[in-house]
Amino acid sequence: MSGKIKATIDQIVRVRANGDNVRAMMTATKLLLKGVDPEAYTAASPDDPVVIAKLRTIAAEWGIKL
Amino acid sequence: MQSRTAFSLAHDPEVAAAAIVAGLAPIRPRLLVYFASPVLDHAELSARFKAAFPAADCIGCTTAGELVSGQMLKKSVVAMALPVETVAEAAVAVVRDVRSGDALAEAIRSLEATIGHPLRTVDPARYVGLILIDGMSGMEESVMETLGDVTDVVFIGGSAGDDLAFRSTRVSANGESYEHAAVLALLRPARPFEFLKTQSFVNLEKRLTPTKVDEATRTVLEFNGRAAADAYAEALGVPREDLATRFMSNPLGLMTGGRPYVRSPRVVTESGGIAFYCGIREGIELSVLQSTQIVEDTTRALANECANGPVSAIINFHCILRTLELEQEGQTEAYGRVFADVAMVGFSTYGEQFVGHINQTAAMLLIR
C-alpha cells in the first residue's frame, strides 16, 4: 500500500492551517522539525508504519482527529 | 510616537541604565527590550530598568555582543523602547527552569491568564511571541516544540550568551534576573508585523542523512551509515583532519521550501561523531551548505522588506557565528550600517529561535 503518509500529512496541514498559506508553511516546518519531512513523501511513498504512527502522535498532540 | 533605541558602553549598571533611560526619552514604553554584555551586573541592570519604567514590561538577557541601529557593539547595553502605538498589549511570563516541563506549562498558563484566552485560540495574525532563553541549557528545541504544539503564534527569539565564556547566561523580566530560565513575551503589535529570517548560504546539493544520532547531546554518530566525520569530510572533499576548519563556511541545512534551517557543527568527537549547536533528527536528510556574503545578503533581504513599506522597529536575533565571521572579514561596521536608518536592537546569540531552534541565522521581528 502507498500514499497514506502524504495523505495524512496533507490532512494535518489542512486542518492546522485552516486555509492560511503562511500557517500551512509553518505547520510543514513544524512537522519537519519533529522528524517528518513533508517534502519527502508523495502519493507513491510506501505506507511506513513507523512514520504513520509518528504522524498520529503529532496529530493527537495538536488536537487533530484523523 | 515611534520606537526608539539607545545604548551605553558604561559597565556600571547605574550609569548605563541612566544613560539609556535618558536616551530613550521622551518615549514612555509599553515594552522595553534590552540586551547586555555579562560584564554588567544583570540583576542590578534589570532592577534599574524596571524602576525607571514601572508601567512597562521590561525583558532582556545577557549576550555575546550587541546590535543597535547602525552599530555592532561589544561589552555594551542596548535597548529599545516600544510605545503603546507600536505594542498595544503585552504579556510576560518566566520559565523558571527550562529543564522542567512543569515550569514551561506554568509559564504558558500565566500568559493565558494575562491575555484571557488559551494560547491555542490566539490569532497568529494579531499576536507574536518573543523568547529569550538560557543559551547554555540545550533545551531550546524542547521548549520551542512545546510552544509550537500549543499555539500557532510564531515565537521568535534568541539564546542568551555570555561573551563566549560558555559558563552561564541570564534572562530577565520586570526587574528580576534568572539563570537556567527563559522569558516568554506574547505581544499584540498595534501595527502590522512580519518576520525576516535570513542566512547567507547556498545549497551545494550534497546530502547527508543522519543514520545514528544521540539527540540528548545533539551529536550525529553516523551519516549515511558511516562515521559522521568521514562522510561529512568526503562530501566536502577535504581530509577528515581538516573538517573542523570548514564548519563555519559549510554547515548543514534542513531544507524546507527551498530554504535552510541551518544546523551548525560544533566539534568532531573522539569517536568520529559530530556534535552540533542544535538538535538533529535521525533519518531527516540534510544538505551541505556553502557560505555567501552576509552583508550583501542581509542588505538585499532588508531592502526587499522595506520595498513593501517602512519598518519602524526591528528586534534582531543574530547568531554569534555570523558575528565571528563578520569580525574575521572586518565587516562588522558594514553590517551595522545595514541598519543605520531603522530603529533596531539585537544581540549576538548562542542560537536563534524561529518556529524551531536554528543556527547561523539572523531572525528578525519587523514592525511596520
Side-chain angles (χ1 to χ4, degrees):
Chain A
M1 298 291 284
S2 63
K4 189 162 187 176
I5 294 174
K6 177 166 170 49
T8 305
I9 289 170
D10 289 347
Q11 185 181 357
I12 289 173
V13 172
R14 191 170 57 248
V15 172
R16 185 94 182 197
N18 198 24
D20 183 315
N21 286 341
V22 174
R23 234 188 280 191
M25 200 170 62
M26 296 291 180
T27 303
T29 302
K30 286 180 185 179
L31 286 172
L32 178 64
L33 292 168
K34 282 176 172 286
V36 179
D37 182 357
E39 295 176 18
Y41 298 97
T42 69
S45 299
D47 293 343
D48 182 338
V50 175
V51 178
I52 291 169
K54 191 181 281 188
L55 286 168
R56 285 193 172 131
T57 302
I58 293 169
E61 286 170 352
W62 290 356
I64 294 170
K65 283 188 179 175
L66 296 175
Chain B
M1 191 164 277
Q2 295 272 331
S3 301
R4 193 172 174 114
T5 61
F7 71 93
S8 170
L9 299 174
H11 292 177
D12 179 334
E14 182 177 3
V15 176
I20 284 176
V21 169
L24 295 175
I27 301 268
R28 292 169 60 191
R30 173 66 189 84
L31 176 72
L32 181 79
V33 180
Y34 57 94
F35 305 120
S37 164
V39 297
L40 290 97
D41 182 319
H42 200 68
E44 183 179 347
L45 191 66
S46 307
R48 288 191 178 278
F49 279 138
K50 185 60 182 175
F53 301 114
D57 279 302
C58 302
I59 63 170
C61 69
T62 55
T63 69
E66 304 76 42
L67 297 95
V68 70
S69 306
Q71 296 186 76
M72 292 189 82
L73 301 172
K74 290 281 187 190
K75 302 193 185 306
S76 73
V77 187
V78 299
M80 174 179 279
L82 298 102
V84 72
E85 291 89 347
T86 302
V87 172
E89 184 183 1
V92 171
V94 177
V95 184
R96 290 173 183 268
D97 178 0
V98 286
R99 289 177 178 79
S100 161
D102 289 344
L104 177 55
E106 188 181 326
I108 290 169
R109 282 195 298 273
S110 171
L111 290 178
E112 291 175 330
T114 303
I115 64 168
H117 305 286
L119 277 188
R120 192 177 293 279
T121 66
V122 173
D123 183 356
R126 297 179 65 224
Y127 285 82
V128 59
L130 294 181
I131 176 168
L132 305 174
I133 184 168
D134 176 10
M136 296 301 296
S137 66
M139 293 301 293
E140 292 95 331
E141 290 89 351
S142 169
V143 170
M144 288 302 290
E145 188 167 328
T146 299
L147 289 171
D149 287 343
V150 301
T151 183
D152 286 325
V153 170
V154 172
F155 274 79
I156 186 169
S159 304
D162 66 349
D163 278 347
L164 297 174
F166 299 110
R167 283 193 294 268
S168 168
T169 72
R170 300 193 77 85
V171 298
S172 58
N174 291 327
E176 299 290 332
S177 173
Y178 307 87
E179 198 177 6
H180 311 302
V183 170
L184 306 179
L186 187 65
L187 312 180
R188 182 167 63 82
R191 300 162 179 258
F193 62 92
E194 289 164 40
F195 306 101
L196 174 57
K197 170 181 152 315
T198 181
Q199 56 287 309
S200 292
F201 296 101
V202 292
N203 185 351
L204 290 178
E205 304 295 345
K206 294 177 180 176
R207 293 178 177 83
L208 294 168
T209 300
T211 44
K212 194 172 182 185
V213 174
D214 179 357
E215 288 191 6
T217 61
R218 296 171 167 169
T219 301
V220 178
L221 305 173
E222 293 181 1
F223 282 122
N224 303 341
R226 301 172 53 207
D230 289 341
Y232 200 157
E234 185 180 291
L236 289 172
V238 299
R240 178 171 149 172
E241 55 269 25
D242 293 346
L243 178 61
T245 66
R246 302 288 290 274
F247 279 171
M248 196 181 286
S249 57
N250 295 106
L252 303 182
L254 194 56
M255 304 303 294
T256 175
R259 296 187 177 176
Y261 270 59
V262 182
R263 333 313 272 162
S264 298
R266 183 169 61 83
V267 67
V268 177
T269 67
E270 283 184 8
S271 61
I274 298 175
F276 283 75
Y277 285 111
C278 65
I280 305 284
R281 294 277 191 179
E282 200 166 287
I284 299 294
E285 185 179 82
L286 299 163
S287 292
V288 181
L289 306 176
Q290 173 67 52
S291 62
T292 54
Q293 294 298 312
I294 292 174
V295 173
E296 284 81 350
D297 292 346
T298 309
T299 301
R300 193 179 314 117
L302 188 59
N304 286 342
E305 291 294 335
C306 291
N308 297 326
V311 175
S312 72
I314 297 177
I315 303 176
N316 185 354
F317 302 99
H318 185 264
C319 182
I320 180 60
L321 296 176
R322 282 168 60 96
T323 300
L324 294 174
E325 187 175 336
L326 289 166
E327 287 174 354
Q328 280 179 7
E329 296 177 1
Q331 289 197 305
T332 53
E333 286 186 20
Y335 188 78
R337 283 196 298 272
V338 173
F339 302 93
D341 298 326
V342 62
M344 183 275 285
V345 72
F347 74 100
S348 296
T349 70
Y350 283 178
E352 304 74 63
Q353 287 80 51
F354 179 70
V355 186
H357 179 53
I358 46 183
N359 306 132
Q360 280 181 273
T361 298
M364 304 182 219
L365 172 63
L366 280 59
I367 301 179
R368 296 287 180 188

